[in-house]
Amino acid sequence: MSKRQPTPSGEEKNVTDGDRTPMTRAMLEAKSIELFELIADRGEIPASDSRISQGGEFADALTSLIELGLVRQAGEDDTSWVPVDPATVQAQIVTPMTQEGIRLLQESADWANHFTTLRSAWRRSAPNDERGPFTYVHRPAIQPFVDSLAAECEFEALTAQPQNRRAGGDALAEAIAKEQAMIERGVTMRTLYQHAARRSSETREYVSAVVAAGGEVRTLDEFFNRILIFDRRIAVIPSPEGVDVAVAVREPSVVAYLVDVFERAWERGRPFGHGDPSTLKDIASEQRSMTLRMLVEGHSDPAASKRLGVSPRTYAGYVADLKEEFGVDTRFQLGYEIGRSGSSAIDDS
């Protein structure tokens, strides 16, 4: 549908429904609402008003209101602009959008069903190396592969994420949307992080959305490798070659073993959402014990910080706190005091 609308300069512009873009909405939010309120309060605004003339403060805002049909010229003399009932305009603009949204949701569901059928056919006829007990997946195919497993997941997803923070922006929004979609279709979802992830605002935002949807998230003090397990049928773990290669495991006995490892870690984890003083104190105590253990075992700072899931600088801060606690100035003195205290220095944390 199209129509010709006058602009403040007197020219006519062809306006279609497709012109109602986010940019038009942004203009409405910016100045057009202010102008509409001004016109509504006064009943009209003269066409000669300098504020709506070309180059005026509300010139673009008036154009936006005209395009949306929220103002019209009064009478045949065209000397002023008067407001139009927004309810009538809303029905013309919002209702088609809602209908289009419903149509797209249905279409996306149909596409998903078709691809599920295709995936089932592919699994029946895939080469042996693609459906065997172990499959090596290389970048950039890893994420699409994981996404396909998540889309097929029917009842349970178990994930362990050793990183201490998630990516933000669009990547965060996309991850949240995927997890929410899984949970909404009945998938039970449990995720493990390290304690250090609690400091990340992006991770907290992700966890808040997932928990609100019905997922569960816990944290541990110890380092662990990334693992994804779908329906206790297939697990995805890192390859010894590094993060650029993932291994998909379908061997039932190995998957069952990995599930058991996850469950044991889950039992020791602490719920992410618990911010009460006792929980935070316990977490701090566990991180202190882990730091002491890293020092006793002689790990380098980079290795120790990785085990704790923190930056080398944060780990150095932990060591500095221990120096102050034991009343020493050097790491050598700290090591001596820890050794003199024996296992009680770690166990009593």
Side-chain angles (χ1 to χ4, degrees):
M1 181 184 71
S2 66
K3 56 184 176 181
R4 301 193 66 81
Q5 294 276 17
T7 65
S9 63
E11 300 175 352
E12 288 192 340
K13 176 182 178 181
N14 193 53
V15 180
T16 67
D17 291 337
D19 290 322
R20 292 168 183 145
T21 63
M23 184 177 296
T24 304
R25 188 177 69 250
M27 176 59 70
L28 179 65
E29 294 169 351
K31 298 291 290 185
S32 297
I33 291 178
E34 182 180 350
L35 176 59
F36 185 87
E37 290 175 342
L38 175 66
I39 299 174
D41 289 341
R42 298 185 177 185
E44 64 178 11
I45 188 171
S48 59
D49 192 307
S50 61
R51 291 173 294 181
I52 61 173
S53 300
Q54 188 170 7
E57 176 186 1
F58 291 114
D60 291 337
L62 178 62
T63 300
S64 177
L65 293 178
I66 294 171
E67 291 177 356
L68 291 169
L70 285 166
V71 294
R72 62 178 176 80
Q73 291 181 320
E76 299 179 356
D77 53 5
D78 299 340
T79 59
S80 62
W81 294 95
V82 296
V84 174
D85 184 357
T88 61
V89 179
Q90 177 179 342
Q92 297 171 13
I93 295 177
V94 178
T95 299
M97 291 181 179
T98 303
Q99 293 172 343
E100 178 65 8
I102 294 173
R103 187 191 68 78
L104 289 173
L105 284 173
Q106 182 59 52
E107 185 175 344
S108 67
D110 291 341
W111 275 106
N113 291 334
H114 293 326
F115 276 107
T116 298
T117 302
L118 293 173
R119 285 284 298 175
S120 298
W122 178 86
R123 281 198 299 268
R124 292 193 300 269
S125 60
N128 289 333
D129 61 345
E130 291 285 354
R131 58 180 178 178
F134 303 99
T135 302
Y136 289 82
V137 185
H138 299 259
R139 284 190 191 275
I142 295 176
Q143 192 57 53
F145 178 74
V146 171
D147 288 344
S148 69
L149 295 178
E152 295 175 1
C153 188
E154 296 178 351
F155 65 88
E156 182 184 61
L158 309 176
T159 66
Q161 307 283 0
Q163 80 268 24
N164 61 11
R165 64 181 300 149
R166 298 191 66 95
D170 293 341
L172 177 61
E174 182 179 353
I176 291 174
K178 289 177 182 177
E179 315 298 15
Q180 289 175 330
M182 290 179 63
I183 296 171
E184 287 173 1
R185 66 171 187 265
V187 175
T188 299
M189 186 167 190
R190 287 184 286 160
T191 300
L192 274 171
Y193 285 108
Q194 287 180 269
H195 288 329
R198 294 171 180 262
R199 298 189 180 90
S200 166
S201 60
E202 292 84 2
T203 302
R204 289 197 301 270
E205 180 180 348
Y206 166 83
V207 171
S208 177
V210 169
V211 171
E216 294 183 79
V217 183
R218 294 185 182 183
T219 62
L220 279 174
D221 59 333
E222 298 182 30
F223 170 81
F224 46 84
N225 255 327
R226 186 187 314 277
I227 184 171
L228 310 172
I229 306 174
F230 298 98
D231 291 339
R232 306 199 172 204
R233 176 183 61 83
I234 181 170
V236 181
I237 59 176
S239 162
E241 299 176 39
V243 296
D244 288 333
V245 182
V247 182
V249 182
R250 296 181 178 85
E251 169 56 44
S253 59
V254 178
V255 173
Y257 175 82
L258 293 173
V259 170
D260 182 64
V261 170
F262 180 92
E263 294 290 3
R264 292 172 186 272
W266 180 260
E267 289 300 320
R268 292 185 288 108
R270 299 186 180 277
F272 196 106
H274 285 198
D276 58 277
S278 61
T279 299
L280 297 178
K281 181 180 179 181
D282 290 340
I283 289 173
S285 177
E286 290 174 2
Q287 289 183 307
R288 174 186 180 277
S289 296
M290 193 69 175
T291 303
L292 286 168
R293 189 175 298 115
M294 295 298 97
L295 289 169
V296 169
E297 294 175 1
H299 294 282
S300 65
D301 280 14
S305 62
K306 183 178 180 180
R307 289 284 296 271
L308 279 158
V310 299
S311 67
R313 183 175 180 179
T314 299
Y315 177 75
Y318 291 170
V319 175
D321 291 341
L322 288 173
K323 288 180 183 177
E324 183 177 351
E325 178 185 337
F326 283 88
V328 298
D329 297 320
T330 68
R331 288 203 180 193
F332 177 80
Q333 293 171 325
L334 177 59
Y336 174 79
E337 289 297 329
I338 294 174
R340 193 165 65 87
S341 300
S343 61
S344 62
I346 298 176
D347 296 338
D348 294 341
S349 299

